[in-house]
Amino acid sequence: MRVPFIAGNWKMFKTGQEAVTFAEEFKEKYKGTDIKTAICAPYVYLSLLKNLFSGTNIKVGAQNAFYEDEGAYTGEVSVKMLEDVGVDYCVIGHSERRQYFGETNESVNKKLKRLLAGAITPILCVGENLEQREKEEQYLVVRDQLVGAFAKIEAEDAQRIVIAYEPVWAIGTGKTATPQQAEDMCEFIRNAIEALYGEQVADEIVIQYGGSVKPANATEIMNMPNIDGALVGGASLNASDFMEIIDF
Ligand code: PGA
């Protein structure tokens, strides 16, 4: 039985004070729901959010991590460090990291493997850009991203990965994929996982949709059979909007 999981991705937004204000408002509103949730925040606020959300079911995620545990890698943060501050989730391979920071299927695979060696749950992002969609290459692109990301990962670990399908053309553009377009790709992803790992893993793996999810479209998206959750950027910055999405 897959439990819905709705995560916020704050990207590079909010000051510490704004994070505190959000957390206080969100904690009040979140009471009484069984939907799983997490806020994926910039590194510098992870400890702060862990403290603010302690004693609640609200989890905290990072937006990236490096696969080496320590070393001369100026500016990087290791999975080991995230484990040390008690982070629950980590987004890997977000399209903005692939586009602006040179993330590749190979580095995504290394990061996933390191996360799976510990207890942090990875949220693996896949998705095609506009040009690829226009050329009708979206299924090939996503398949390649999946095969690359899951290389040499065993079934029991694979099952722990949350997959977020985020078409790049729908991120931050206000242009949502139609619920059917999102469902078609999430079904394709589930079938691809079945081909790699069999039916049981495919049935259990959680697949989110991301890209301009907001209160007005959350219900339709969440009602699709192969969509188990959402990765929410812009609308997760506001506690009321994010809570409305969780209450889809
Ligand atoms: P958006 O971002 O909801 O602002 O489109 C989604 C994401 O990039 O995770």
Side-chain angles (χ1 to χ4, degrees):
M1 187 51 201
R2 305 190 298 263
V3 180
F5 172 45
I6 297 183
N9 172 16
W10 279 359
K11 309 193 178 188
M12 201 175 72
F13 287 101
K14 288 198 190 291
T15 62
Q17 188 49 53
E18 286 165 349
V20 171
T21 307
F22 175 98
E24 278 164 3
E25 206 186 323
F26 186 56
K27 268 200 294 197
E28 269 310 304
K29 294 179 193 292
Y30 180 73
K31 280 182 191 150
T33 173
D34 324 315
I35 306 287
K36 287 211 259 179
T37 195
I39 294 291
C40 302
Y43 290 133
V44 287
Y45 305 133
L46 295 175
S47 289
L48 174 73
L49 287 170
K50 275 305 285 183
N51 286 333
L52 289 164
F53 293 143
S54 75
T56 75
N57 284 331
I58 304 164
K59 305 291 185 193
V60 173
Q63 301 172 7
N64 183 33
F66 194 52
Y67 45 79
E68 296 293 349
D69 279 350
E70 58 182 22
Y73 303 103
T74 303
E76 288 298 310
V77 170
S78 68
V79 171
K80 190 177 169 190
M81 293 167 183
L82 298 179
E83 290 169 344
D84 190 37
V85 295
V87 164
D88 308 286
Y89 290 92
C90 185
V91 176
I92 293 294
H94 190 281
S95 60
E96 287 149 17
R97 296 222 55 91
R98 293 180 193 254
Q99 188 178 350
Y100 306 127
F101 303 101
E103 193 81 79
T104 62
N105 288 338
E106 198 188 348
S107 59
V108 163
N109 175 250
K110 286 185 180 168
K111 291 174 177 189
L112 286 177
K113 282 186 187 144
R114 176 58 189 85
L115 283 163
L116 292 167
I120 297 176
T121 303
I123 303 175
L124 163 68
C125 298
V126 296
E128 80 286 359
N129 63 30
L130 185 59
E131 197 189 332
Q132 292 161 337
R133 163 95 21 190
E134 281 171 348
K135 289 200 210 144
E136 296 181 6
E137 288 171 359
Q138 68 269 28
Y139 293 108
L140 283 175
V141 170
V142 169
R143 197 179 168 281
D144 268 7
Q145 290 173 338
L146 289 171
V147 169
F150 281 87
K152 299 206 169 81
I153 291 177
E154 302 296 329
E156 70 205 52
D157 287 334
Q159 190 162 309
R160 287 177 46 208
I161 299 175
V162 173
I163 302 173
Y165 168 55
E166 298 205 307
V168 179
W169 46 273
I171 295 178
T173 58
K175 209 174 157 184
T176 327
T178 64
Q180 194 57 52
Q181 281 174 321
E183 165 63 17
D184 288 349
M185 183 60 89
C186 291
E187 185 184 15
F188 173 84
I189 291 171
R190 203 173 295 288
N191 290 337
I193 294 299
E194 184 172 348
L196 290 171
Y197 295 107
E199 204 180 321
Q200 200 208 327
V201 176
D203 275 349
E204 279 177 26
I205 205 157
V206 171
I207 305 178
Q208 299 175 318
Y209 166 77
S212 299
V213 175
K214 40 188 179 275
N217 59 25
T219 312
E220 251 195 308
I221 292 167
M222 290 300 297
N223 282 341
M224 289 292 171
N226 283 290
I227 302 180
D228 310 315
L231 185 56
V232 185
S236 74
L237 296 169
N238 177 292
S240 304
D241 286 353
F242 191 47
M243 196 57 228
E244 262 193 70
I245 293 171
I246 290 172
D247 275 339
F248 65 91

